[in-house]
Amino acid sequence: KNQVEQSPQSLIILEGKNCTLQCNYTVSPFSNLRWYKQDTGRGPVSLTIMTFSENTKSNGRYTATLDADTKQSSLHITASQLSDSASYICVAGSSNTGKLIFGQGTTLQVKP
Amino acid sequence: EAGVTQFPSHSVIEKGQTVTLRCDPISGHDNLYWYRRVMGKEIKFLLHFVKESKQDESGMPNNRFLAERTGGTYSTLKVQPAELEDSGVYFCASSQGAGSGTQYFGPGTRLLVL
């Protein structure tokens, strides 16, 4: 069964601190791994996309890693800001058609 | 450039009624996707259009759901008759290419079936 699992379910950090979110996936055939940010009441916004041959991808203060052998990915947020408070969703792309399998997300709260 | 838009933003209907959701993709995007998030669950794929053709509709829950994309521009998702378990947030996304292309999501339509 294709599935994506994320941890932790929720996280609270202080502004300026770093954090790392984890993702494990079981998706076949696997094509790519994405991280999305979703603010409350809005649609998901793409942060990074990595194909199975890529190990890392950065987007500003966001850095994603991918280990296709262990089927694990992480999203590291550096120097967090209040605006980083959101749900972060790990998404695996299956085959080459664009079909996406979503994790349940990690809810991040950044406090001043 | 306008993003993906969805209408309505919210809909409250009674069980047995019909609801039609609309999605306008980013101009020029041939690929259009519908997703749904029910309360407490992850977002799940419903179907994928390439222009006006259904590429993959493996995620459609049952035959009460009908998606169309006449002319390959905007798409509609009709639920008839609606059931309580259809409540959730329906997202539409579009992309230029399939595969590893970025999918741009709309804000979603929040559907509540009473």
Side-chain angles (χ1 to χ4, degrees):
Chain A
K1 177 184 176 184
N2 287 334
Q3 62 182 23
V4 175
E5 296 181 343
Q6 294 186 239
S7 62
Q9 190 172 17
S10 62
L11 182 62
I12 301 174
I13 62 173
L14 293 177
E15 185 179 13
K17 298 296 185 182
N18 305 335
C19 67
T20 301
L21 313 181
Q22 303 291 344
C23 172
N24 296 311
Y25 63 91
T26 306
V27 172
S28 180
F30 172 74
S31 174
N32 55 80
L33 195 290
R34 309 164 187 238
W35 284 92
Y36 278 85
K37 177 186 180 185
Q38 185 176 18
D39 293 310
T40 301
R42 295 180 175 257
V45 174
S46 180
L47 295 176
T48 62
I49 301 175
M50 292 176 289
T51 64
F52 59 85
S53 61
E54 295 178 285
N55 299 121
T56 186
K57 184 75 68 85
S58 290
N59 179 358
R61 294 179 296 102
Y62 302 102
T63 299
T65 66
L66 174 63
D67 186 335
D69 291 330
T70 61
K71 298 188 169 78
Q72 295 180 325
S73 177
S74 67
L75 180 69
H76 186 76
I77 304 174
T78 303
S80 61
Q81 301 176 357
L82 298 179
S83 59
D84 291 333
S85 295
S87 176
Y88 291 84
I89 308 174
C90 177
V91 185
S94 178
S95 74
N96 294 316
T97 63
K99 181 175 181 177
L100 302 181
I101 294 102
F102 289 73
Q104 287 213 350
T106 292
T107 302
L108 174 66
Q109 186 176 0
V110 181
K111 290 191 169 183
Chain B
E1 178 184 278
V4 177
T5 57
Q6 294 186 242
F7 182 84
S9 59
H10 295 78
S11 181
V12 181
I13 61 173
E14 292 187 351
K15 176 183 172 181
Q17 290 186 321
T18 297
V19 62
T20 300
L21 314 181
R22 173 171 170 145
C23 168
D24 286 78
I26 293 172
S27 178
H29 282 192
D30 288 339
N31 294 272
L32 187 149
Y33 306 83
W34 282 99
Y35 297 91
R36 177 175 73 171
R37 183 172 201 162
V38 297
M39 188 176 293
K41 299 281 191 177
E42 69 276 16
I43 297 172
K44 287 192 174 179
F45 168 84
L46 294 178
L47 88 160
H48 170 203
F49 282 101
V50 177
K51 297 185 180 179
E52 68 274 9
S53 300
K54 291 176 184 174
Q55 178 78 11
D56 181 353
E57 52 184 330
S58 61
M60 295 288 265
N62 50 62
N63 59 10
R64 295 185 295 102
F65 289 75
L66 175 63
E68 295 180 322
R69 193 183 182 195
T70 307
T73 54
Y74 71 91
S75 175
T76 58
L77 180 65
K78 180 191 288 188
V79 185
Q80 179 182 30
E83 297 289 345
L84 300 179
E85 63 265 25
D86 301 332
S87 297
V89 183
Y90 289 77
F91 292 104
C92 173
S94 72
S95 67
Q96 278 191 320
S100 300
T102 298
Q103 292 187 23
Y104 298 88
F105 281 75
T109 292
R110 282 143 190 83
L111 174 65
L112 179 60
V113 182
L114 300 176

